[in-house]
């Protein structure tokens, strides 16, 4: 059994449980996770996405989006930890506005890819994902519908973690020691003697 995957599934399930039990406190955690994913996405854009098309506007859009993702991600990670709830609310709106620009950048990338590119579909679904996150960020307030959304996400995360843990357990590699395995021919020869 892959202990890393099993542990990851348990940790994801526990994170979902925490989101379910303490949704108001989990909102800043969600913003920090979004910040971390923005940094990783920005690095991916700068290193990889720019190579998908030779068109200058595509490369420039990917570079600008990558740099903006890294900057916004670092701010999202650092500010809520350092300055508390007021800056958290500001950061939430900054992240939401960034998501609007990310949708626009994704659409620019989609329209500047070659017509037969398989990446068009991926970028389009990324744009839809950014739009959904934008809507959630605008709704994500500690005093309004935010805790309800966090609880729903917590249930989904917890079920996903439990499912992944069970899947890892069921697909584990079984180890059989050599002394417990007999060869059929050897067994038949022993019976004949």
């Amino acid at each position: 059994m892959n202990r890393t995957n099993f542990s990851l599934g348990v940790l994801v399930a526990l994170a979902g449980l925490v989101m379910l039990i303490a949704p108001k406190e989990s909102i800043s955690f969600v913003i920090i996770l979004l910040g971390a994913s923005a940094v990783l996405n920005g690095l991916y854009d700068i290193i990889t996405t720019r190579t998908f098309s030779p068109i200058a506007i595509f490369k420039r859009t990917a570079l600008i989006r990558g740099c903006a993702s890294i900057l916004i991600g670092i701010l999202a990670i650092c500010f809520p930890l350092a300055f508390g709830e007021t800056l958290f609310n500001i950061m939430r709106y900054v992240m939401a506005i960034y998501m609007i620009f990310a949708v626009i950048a994704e659409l620019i990338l989609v329209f500047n890819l070659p017509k037969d590119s398989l990446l068009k579909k991926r970028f389009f679904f990324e744009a839809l994902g950014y739009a959904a996150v934008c809507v959630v960020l605008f709704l994500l307030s500690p005093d309004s519908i935010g805790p309800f959304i966090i609880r729903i996400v917590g249930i989904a995360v917890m079920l996903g973690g439990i499912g992944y843990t069970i899947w890892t357990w069921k697909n584990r590699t079984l180890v059989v020691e050599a002394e417990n395995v007999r060869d059929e021919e050897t067994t038949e020869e022993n019976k004949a003697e």
Side-chain angles (χ1 to χ4, degrees):
M1 173 174 53
N2 188 336
R3 290 184 181 147
T4 305
N5 288 343
F6 186 80
S7 300
L8 179 66
V10 170
L11 286 174
V12 167
L14 289 174
L17 183 63
V18 169
M19 292 169 76
L20 188 63
I21 293 171
K24 285 187 180 182
E25 293 78 13
S26 300
I27 291 176
S28 58
F29 176 70
V30 169
I31 295 294
I32 292 168
L33 282 180
L34 284 173
S37 69
V39 170
L40 293 175
N41 190 31
L43 290 171
Y44 181 80
D45 282 346
I46 290 172
I47 295 168
T48 305
T49 303
R50 287 182 6 176
T51 64
F52 291 160
S53 175
I55 299 172
I57 191 167
F58 182 91
K59 290 182 177 237
R60 196 174 322 118
T61 303
L63 178 66
I64 291 169
R65 191 182 80 160
C67 292
S69 290
I70 292 171
L71 178 66
I72 295 294
I74 290 171
L75 292 175
I77 293 168
C78 296
F79 280 173
L81 292 175
F83 298 107
E85 191 173 333
T86 303
L87 212 48
F88 159 74
N89 285 326
I90 293 169
M91 200 61 232
R92 180 170 53 92
Y93 289 119
V94 168
M95 286 288 290
I97 292 168
Y98 160 73
M99 291 295 171
I100 292 171
F101 287 114
V103 169
I104 294 168
E106 287 287 336
L107 294 177
I108 290 172
L109 294 176
V110 166
F111 290 120
N112 284 299
L113 279 170
K115 290 182 181 179
D116 58 341
S117 176
L118 298 173
L119 295 171
K120 282 190 169 212
K121 191 175 185 181
R122 181 185 135 207
F123 284 142
F124 180 74
F125 283 116
E126 277 184 18
L128 289 178
Y130 286 139
V133 170
C134 176
V135 170
V136 168
L137 284 171
F138 277 120
L139 295 175
L140 202 64
S141 170
D143 299 326
S144 66
I145 198 168
F148 176 72
I149 293 172
I150 291 295
R151 280 194 173 110
I152 291 174
V153 171
I155 290 170
V157 168
M158 187 174 64
L159 292 176
I162 291 170
Y164 188 70
T165 303
I166 292 170
W167 181 81
T168 302
W169 178 261
K170 284 188 174 189
N171 292 313
R172 69 188 183 278
T173 305
L174 297 177
V175 177
V176 179
E177 295 182 21
E179 59 213 32
N180 295 333
V181 179
R182 293 187 217 170
D183 190 15
E184 276 186 44
E185 293 175 10
T186 309
T187 307
E188 290 175 14
E189 287 175 9
N190 288 341
K191 285 181 182 177
E193 291 176 5

